[in-house]
Amino acid sequence: MRIWMLVLALVCCLSGNAQSADNLYKQGKALYDAKDYAKAFVKLKAAAEKGHKKAQYRVGLCYDKGKGVKENDEEAFRWYSKSAAQNYAKAQYQLGKCYKEGEGCKEDRSKALAWWLKAAKQDNADAEYQLAKAYLKGKGVAADEAKAKSWIKKAVRNEKDGDEILQKLRKDAAAGDEDAKKLLALIKK
């Protein structure tokens, strides 16, 4: 009987801990969305330390952008990595950006592409867009117009963020960006 009581107590503690991480994240995200970054960071970090993948991503974002905390690329990379390891697509995309730019880590195009591919397989439009650009320019992979076309079409047809990607392409093309012009042309083919 004592063993069952201990098991029940342990299960209650674990579920309470998960719930508190969820609550901390929700409170932190609401504060972040309200642009109260300092208070948001405290809540988000507490949830992130409990293993909440979305909170880990947001803490990485706070460090990346200097929102509520001093900008720190190494810390951003560390928190993005924790979240990405839990298969969170937004963190995987950001981790790819870190590797592409060498922010918080050594620049590594192949690792950037690998993380973007993981995120793209989860329908992350930003990752799909980055893969299209990589294949268009042959950056980290062999240039391949067919693959560039496939990825850019996926990106602009993405239900969640495709319209934003298309708007960005149009804006960049209007500003004279040759890559954006080429990607827009591929969409029409």
Side-chain angles (χ1 to χ4, degrees), residues 101-122:
E101 303 297 330
E103 293 178 352
C105 61
K106 185 178 177 187
E107 185 179 325
D108 188 327
R109 270 287 183 176
S110 63
K111 286 183 181 178
L113 291 167
W115 283 111
W116 287 335
L117 186 58
K118 287 180 183 193
K121 286 181 178 178
Q122 296 182 70

Side-chain angles (χ1 to χ4, degrees), residues 12 45 76 84 113-114 137 147 151 158 162 165:
C12 288
K45 188 150 189 229
L113 291 167
K137 297 171 78 173
K147 286 184 180 179
W151 282 116
N158 187 289
I165 297 292

Side-chain angles (χ1 to χ4, degrees), residues 13-163:
C13 286
L14 290 175
S15 66
N17 187 34
Q19 181 61 38
S20 66
D22 284 340
N23 284 338
L24 286 166
Y25 171 71
K26 288 175 186 170
Q27 293 168 12
K29 186 177 181 311
L31 289 164
Y32 187 95
D33 291 344
K35 297 183 180 10
D36 191 348
Y37 300 119
K39 288 181 183 174
F41 181 78
V42 172
K43 299 278 186 183
L44 292 168
K45 188 150 189 229
E49 288 171 343
K50 293 177 183 276
H52 195 284
K53 67 183 179 183
K54 290 181 180 180
Q56 291 169 337
Y57 160 74
R58 290 265 174 188
V59 167
L61 203 57
C62 287
Y63 278 116
D64 194 5
K65 306 297 182 193
K67 293 189 174 187
V69 66
K70 185 178 178 189
E71 189 174 320
N72 184 322
D73 290 341
E74 289 78 19
E75 280 297 300
F77 177 82
R78 187 170 77 86
W79 285 104
Y80 287 149
S81 295
K82 287 177 182 249
S83 180
Q86 293 189 67
N87 212 31
Y88 191 53
K90 287 182 178 182
Q92 291 171 334
Y93 165 72
Q94 289 294 345
L95 202 54
K97 274 183 61 177
C98 289
Y99 277 115
K100 178 187 176 231
E101 303 297 330
E103 293 178 352
C105 61
K106 185 178 177 187
E107 185 179 325
D108 188 327
R109 270 287 183 176
S110 63
K111 286 183 181 178
L113 291 167
W115 283 111
W116 287 335
L117 186 58
K118 287 180 183 193
K121 286 181 178 178
Q122 296 182 70
D123 296 322
N124 182 284
D126 291 317
E128 293 165 346
Y129 173 63
Q130 289 300 325
L131 288 168
K133 284 175 52 176
Y135 280 108
L136 179 71
K137 297 171 78 173
K139 296 278 188 163
V141 292
D144 186 326
E145 188 175 292
K147 286 184 180 179
K149 179 179 177 179
S150 174
W151 282 116
I152 197 59
K153 283 188 171 191
K154 284 180 185 182
V156 299
R157 291 180 182 155
N158 187 289
E159 287 183 26
K160 186 173 181 190
D161 297 315
D163 289 340

